Amino acid sequence: MMRTERRMPPGARRRGFVVPVPHTRSGQKHVQTYIQTLRPMVADIAATLLVDRAALTELDDPDEIGAAYLGAFLDDLERRLAG
């Protein structure tokens, strides 16, 4: 019988989004395909919300990048509700 143990205790929360990195070549190919699929959607969202992606490239903290997208979304929502 193999013994497995939890890496995190029950109820613990992990901060941020974690993408497990597979060790096999086919697993790495699947991750790259997933990322390549998401990249155009992020560009479309940024264009719709009028997010300055050039300014975002200078940010290193994912929380700041998320805050910029959230701020742009809320500004767009405010414009739509007002008009």
Side-chain angles (χ1 to χ4, degrees):
M1 182 171 132
M2 286 183 60
R3 181 167 189 254
T4 59
E5 54 186 90
R6 294 179 181 261
R7 293 188 181 189
M8 293 179 64
R13 291 185 178 228
R14 189 178 301 226
R15 183 182 167 105
F17 180 75
V18 178
V19 176
V21 178
H23 298 289
T24 64
R25 185 175 293 162
S26 65
Q28 290 174 354
K29 186 176 179 182
H30 286 299
V31 169
Q32 287 300 320
T33 302
Y34 180 72
I35 290 171
Q36 293 301 327
T37 302
L38 289 179
R39 194 166 277 151
M41 292 189 327
V42 171
D44 290 344
I45 292 169
T48 302
L49 295 177
L50 305 174
V51 174
D52 183 11
R53 292 191 67 195
L56 292 180
T57 58
E58 299 171 3
L59 299 176
D60 293 332
D61 185 14
D63 291 338
E64 291 177 3
I65 296 171
Y69 274 94
L70 180 60
F73 170 75
L74 293 175
D75 290 343
D76 183 63
L77 182 62
E78 181 181 23
R79 281 191 301 271
R80 290 173 189 251
L81 292 176

